[in-house]
Amino acid sequence: MKNIFSLDTISKKLLFILMSVALVSTVIVTLVFSAYELTSAKREQVQSLQSLSDMLSPNITAAVLFDDQETIKELIKPVLLRSDILSINVTNIENQVLGQLFATNVSKDTLSNNENLTNITTPLTLDNQGYGYLTIIADDSYIEERIAFYIKFLLFLLLSTFAVSLFLSLLLQRKFLSPILYLAETADKITTSHDYSLRAKQHSKDEIGQLATCFNSMLDTIEQRESVLESQVKSRTEELENANIQLHEFAYQDGLTNLPNRRYFYKKLQSLLDIDGMHFALIFIDLDGFKDINDTLGHDHGDLLLHQVAKRLRNCVRNHDTVARLGGDEFTLIIEGINDVERASEIAEKVKQSLMQCITINGAQVYVTGSIGLTFYPADGRSVEDLVKHADQAMYLSKSKGRNRYEFFSYIIEEQAIEKRRILEEIRVALNEDQFVLYYQPIFDLDGINVSKAEALIRWQHPQHGLIGPNEFIPMAEQNGLIEDIGNWVREQAIHDAAQWYYMSGQIMQVSVNCSPLQFDRAGQWVDDWILACNKQGLPRDTMVIEVTENTLMDPESPIQQQMHRLSHNGIDIAIDDFGVGYSSLAYLQRLDIDILKIDRSFIQHMETNESSIALVRAIITMASHLKVQVVAEGVETTGQHQILQQLSCDYLQGYLFAKPMPKEQFTELYITPLTSKVS
């Protein structure tokens, strides 16, 4: 049924247009004619009633003048003989009824309920003097009868028009559409058979005939082009086949080294896993020092180096083994038919020795080594993901052990990697759930009695493992980008505690905080955060101390140096931690705005047995004194060490001999004296 009424063909569309025009035109004409007739009937009734009223009004006016009600009734009674008049009413000027008559079966109630009424009121006047009103009420319901008649007439006319229009439309459709339908049929045959030799006949000389001529001309052109295209397609097909072969090579070949690339490597690995009884060794190789060669000699030399390395690796294995470049300076070897450590070790050693040989590039001699990781299929994994992951883990193990070596995968490596990921995730949880706490180790004066400084030391209050020291998680946080979040937390907590002690006691308790070099940024945002946090708490100058290592400050022109100067300028002191074990030259201290030197504990530990340690500590203290830099001795654990440091006039002492790191609450209780206690 839906397809019958859908305008999906030109025949249906033409039929729809013709019938729509005929029907719409008929409806419009009928509606206009009906409206005119109904309006005319209403106007004629009003004019007739008005003429009747005008004719009666002089005689009735005289009767009203003499208040002759009998005469009035006699004058108006004949009016009711008209079938459409329902009531006639005469009133004086004060609207008092002088005469009123109703047609048969008509009353006031029926008049009030009848909506189809025409009301004509004529003033009764004599010599321009009004004496009353003549009111005639007529029934215009006969107009509804006319409406019903015209509706029937309209329906009859529409049906007649529909039938005539349908007949004429079908007749015209056959006459005018047959040439177009013939063209469509011919085009369909050509499309189905692909026979462009067919032609359409010209049935008329009008526009449709011209269309048939153009259609045949188009077929001539298509037929000629088809023959040309067939020959072109044949040649292009051959070209595409050759290009496809080349693209396949590009898709699976590294353009720099001509080795198989990462995509080919994974496809090859999967194909080997699909072979029953297959076993092989997978070797991952990462070049050591390649970045330095790129940075010093340039990327062109680096590319040539990779090309030479590829040749050497190819010479280390058999022809049917696979050597691939994964990208950058990473290479892989797939050694088929090997599953014993001894044979794999021989190949790994051969690769290591081959890489160690000098490589000459454009007259420059360069040396590289390789960190090598080995794994076996199926012993070390039965999927591509597991094998690649385990070989990568073994390679990173060799890199962490000093590079230029090879290591075999063991599940201990994977357990360590899993443990590392677990710890990293737990560190993130610890940051979100506020599991970190700050412990404070007091720093005493030379007598070991008074405390005016403290070092903030982070601890991890693990929900399962208890209190964990920083050495177990800070290095991992530095390697994996979490040190910034930890450092931000330490900064806020340490500044908050220092401010609390200051407002509690009225005295500055100088708090030092260890900062990782990774926290420094070239834009200086880290410094801005420190300055803003101190100002927000209203801390006096010299309340906070930033501790950095010597190596952090080696280059006086570095951005870190400039940021240290900004900190010092804004009242945050700088301390060099573990002084004496880093940069050998002391001359750079003259150019730096350093406030505190903290002598490394390794020198303090040997003072009682090693005169050289005493001499070195004495030199540091003397030098710092001349530079007006305070000195803190770290790791003081014996009375003998304390006595020697007193003799050397060291400024401050820190170590287990005096106090261990302690929670903030305990530090507050022992070393912070409230203002109320001082007053009392």
Side-chain angles (χ1 to χ4, degrees):
M1 183 63 69
K2 182 178 180 181
N3 294 330
I4 295 177
F5 294 102
S6 60
L7 302 177
D8 53 357
T9 64
I10 192 170
S11 301
K12 293 181 181 180
K13 292 177 181 177
L14 181 59
L15 182 63
F16 176 78
I17 292 172
L18 292 174
M19 294 191 65
S20 297
V21 171
L23 292 175
V24 170
S25 300
T26 303
V27 170
I28 292 174
V29 171
T30 304
L31 290 176
V32 171
F33 177 72
S34 300
Y36 173 76
E37 286 296 322
L38 294 175
T39 304
S40 298
K42 184 71 174 178
R43 184 173 63 252
E44 289 174 0
Q45 184 189 40
V46 171
Q47 290 176 352
S48 173
L49 292 175
Q50 188 64 53
S51 298
L52 179 61
S53 179
D54 292 341
M55 183 179 64
L56 292 175
S57 60
N59 296 328
I60 295 174
T61 301
V64 170
L65 181 63
F66 294 101
D67 195 20
D68 188 354
Q69 296 184 9
E70 290 298 330
T71 303
I72 292 173
K73 290 181 180 181
E74 290 178 1
L75 290 173
I76 64 177
K77 186 175 182 179
V79 178
L80 296 177
L81 295 177
R82 276 186 55 164
S83 59
D84 60 331
I85 296 178
L86 301 178
S87 171
I88 184 167
N89 184 28
V90 178
T91 60
N92 58 19
I93 197 65
E94 288 85 10
N95 286 327
Q96 293 177 348
V97 177
L98 301 178
Q100 185 176 31
L101 294 178
F102 296 94
T104 307
N105 299 326
V106 177
S107 64
K108 287 185 177 181
D109 294 335
T110 57
L111 286 178
S112 60
N113 295 328
N114 194 343
E115 296 179 356
N116 301 315
L117 299 176
T118 301
N119 194 323
I120 299 297
T121 301
T122 303
L124 301 175
T125 60
L126 183 63
D127 297 332
N128 295 327
Q129 178 67 38
Y131 294 97
Y133 301 95
L134 172 62
T135 302
I136 300 175
I137 299 176
D139 183 10
D140 59 2
S141 59
Y142 73 95
I143 297 178
E144 294 183 355
E145 297 176 358
R146 287 197 178 188
I147 294 175
F149 168 77
Y150 283 116
I151 289 175
K152 294 177 182 179
F153 174 75
L154 177 61
L155 291 176
F156 173 76
L157 186 61
L158 286 175
L159 291 174
S160 301
T161 304
F162 179 81
V164 174
S165 300
L166 180 61
F167 174 76
L168 291 176
S169 298
L170 293 175
L171 185 63
L172 293 174
Q173 175 183 342
R174 175 172 297 182
K175 180 174 180 59
F176 295 118
L177 285 183
S178 56
I180 298 177
L181 295 176
Y182 169 74
L183 277 177
E185 182 181 356
T186 304
D188 184 64
K189 288 181 180 179
I190 295 172
T191 303
T192 304
S193 62
H194 299 287
D195 183 6
Y196 297 105
S197 63
L198 297 176
R199 294 294 182 269
K201 295 180 180 180
Q202 185 175 0
H203 290 87
S204 61
K205 296 183 179 181
D206 55 8
E207 289 84 353
I208 297 177
Q210 295 177 5
L211 179 62
T213 302
C214 295
F215 180 77
N216 292 331
S217 176
M218 180 183 65
L219 288 176
D220 293 336
T221 304
I222 292 175
E223 192 174 12
Q224 294 174 2
R225 290 185 178 180
E226 186 184 36
S227 60
V228 175
L229 285 175
E230 284 181 356
S231 60
Q232 291 181 347
V233 167
K234 185 177 180 180
S235 62
R236 294 295 167 84
T237 301
E238 294 176 355
E239 294 176 2
L240 287 174
E241 289 176 352
N242 295 331
N244 188 46
I245 295 173
Q246 294 179 354
L247 287 174
H248 187 271
E249 293 178 355
F250 293 152
Y252 291 103
Q253 182 175 306
D254 177 54
L256 179 62
T257 62
N258 295 325
L259 291 177
N261 60 11
R262 176 185 292 270
R263 179 180 296 180
Y264 179 89
F265 165 74
Y266 278 97
K267 186 175 181 180
K268 176 70 174 179
L269 208 56
Q270 184 61 56
S271 67
L272 292 177
L273 266 61
D274 294 336
I275 301 175
D276 293 336
M278 172 59 67
H279 55 271
F280 58 85
L282 176 61
I283 303 176
F284 263 38
I285 304 167
D286 186 86
L287 299 183
D288 304 323
F290 176 73
K291 184 178 183 301
D292 295 335
I293 294 174
N294 255 348
D295 294 341
T296 55
L297 299 179
H299 289 280
D300 292 340
H301 284 72
D303 292 345
L304 293 174
L305 172 63
L306 292 175
H307 190 75
Q308 293 296 323
V309 168
K311 286 184 177 180
R312 293 191 179 188
L313 294 177
R314 186 71 264 178
N315 293 331
C316 292
V317 297
R318 300 163 298 183
N319 290 334
H320 64 275
D321 292 329
T322 301
V323 180
R325 178 182 177 227
L326 295 188
D329 58 350
E330 292 184 340
F331 295 85
T332 62
L333 309 179
I334 302 176
I335 315 298
E336 299 180 27
I338 292 180
N339 61 356
D340 62 288
V341 174
E342 182 177 355
R343 178 70 179 120
S345 297
E346 293 176 1
I347 297 174
E349 184 64 31
K350 186 177 181 180
V351 169
K352 188 184 81 167
Q353 295 299 329
S354 176
L355 293 176
M356 291 173 61
Q357 302 300 316
C358 175
I359 300 176
T360 302
I361 302 176
N362 293 337
Q365 293 184 339
V366 296
Y367 293 88
V368 293
T369 58
S371 297
I372 305 171
L374 299 93
T375 187
F376 295 102
Y377 174 80
D380 296 331
R382 293 183 174 272
S383 68
V384 172
E385 293 76 13
D386 288 343
L387 287 171
V388 171
K389 179 179 66 175
H390 294 164
D392 194 54
Q393 290 173 351
M395 183 269 291
Y396 274 105
L397 177 63
S398 66
K399 190 175 288 289
S400 65
K401 287 188 174 183
R403 306 183 178 186
N404 192 27
R405 56 185 293 127
Y406 59 87
E407 292 288 339
F408 289 90
F409 168 77
S410 68
Y411 282 97
I412 296 176
I413 300 175
E414 187 171 32
E415 291 173 0
Q416 292 173 346
I418 294 173
E419 178 66 14
K420 178 181 178 181
R421 288 197 299 272
R422 182 189 64 80
I423 294 176
L424 288 175
E425 185 59 34
E426 289 185 347
I427 291 175
R428 293 186 177 92
V429 173
L431 283 167
N432 293 331
E433 297 183 0
D434 201 21
Q435 294 178 4
F436 292 113
V437 295
L438 284 186
Y439 273 46
Y440 291 92
Q441 186 174 23
I443 300 174
F444 291 81
D445 61 9
L446 189 57
D447 294 330
I449 298 174
N450 297 318
V451 175
S452 59
K453 303 178 186 295
E455 181 178 1
L457 302 167
I458 190 171
R459 299 290 186 268
W460 181 1
Q461 190 64 53
H462 196 282
Q464 284 82 36
H465 305 296
L467 201 64
I468 299 176
N471 292 336
E472 297 186 36
F473 63 90
I474 290 297
M476 193 175 299
E478 289 180 328
Q479 295 171 8
N480 294 274
L482 294 176
I483 191 62
E484 182 177 355
D485 293 334
I486 294 177
N488 291 340
W489 180 88
V490 171
R491 178 187 67 235
E492 298 299 325
Q493 188 63 44
I495 291 176
H496 175 270
D497 294 344
Q500 183 179 358
W501 291 334
Y502 172 71
Y503 293 116
M504 180 185 297
S505 64
Q507 300 293 327
I508 293 177
M509 176 60 68
Q510 194 175 53
V511 177
S512 59
V513 177
N514 288 282
C515 292
S516 168
L518 300 177
Q519 294 177 255
F520 296 93
D521 62 281
R522 293 184 177 274
Q525 182 61 46
W526 178 81
V527 174
D528 294 338
D529 292 340
W530 266 96
I531 296 172
L532 180 63
C534 290
N535 293 338
K536 185 177 179 181
Q537 293 289 348
L539 289 178
R541 295 179 63 88
D542 305 323
T543 301
M544 302 304 299
V545 180
I546 301 295
E547 291 191 16
V548 295
T549 59
E550 290 180 80
N551 293 334
T552 305
L553 304 173
M554 283 178 59
D555 183 6
E557 304 301 326
S558 70
I560 294 178
Q561 278 291 321
Q562 300 171 11
Q563 294 178 29
M564 292 298 101
H565 284 297
R566 287 185 58 208
L567 288 172
S568 180
H569 178 72
N570 285 273
I572 300 175
D573 291 350
I574 307 300
I576 297 182
D577 195 18
D578 301 331
F579 185 78
V581 297
Y583 196 54
S584 58
S585 175
L586 302 179
Y588 71 95
L589 289 177
Q590 298 177 354
R591 301 191 297 269
L592 302 178
D593 192 5
I594 303 300
D595 301 285
I596 300 173
L597 289 181
K598 302 188 75 173
I599 303 175
D600 186 70
R601 63 182 66 247
S602 61
F603 300 114
I604 306 301
Q605 289 174 352
H606 300 96
M607 283 196 307
E608 295 179 270
T609 58
N610 191 330
E611 291 293 333
S612 298
S613 295
I614 297 177
L616 181 58
V617 172
R618 179 185 293 111
I620 293 173
I621 294 174
T622 302
M623 175 200 63
S625 177
H626 284 87
L627 294 175
K628 297 182 180 180
V629 175
Q630 297 176 347
V631 178
V632 177
E634 294 183 295
V636 181
E637 298 179 353
T638 66
T639 305
Q641 295 169 357
H642 181 199
Q643 292 175 350
I644 295 174
L645 290 169
Q646 283 182 317
Q647 295 172 5
L648 298 177
S649 299
C650 184
D651 297 308
Y652 296 97
L653 309 172
Q654 179 180 356
Y656 283 9
L657 176 64
F658 306 102
K660 295 181 179 181
M662 61 189 70
K664 169 193 169 184
E665 294 75 13
Q666 183 180 356
F667 185 91
T668 303
E669 181 180 352
L670 294 176
Y671 303 108
I672 303 299
T673 304
L675 288 172
T676 55
S677 301
K678 295 179 181 180
V679 172
S680 61

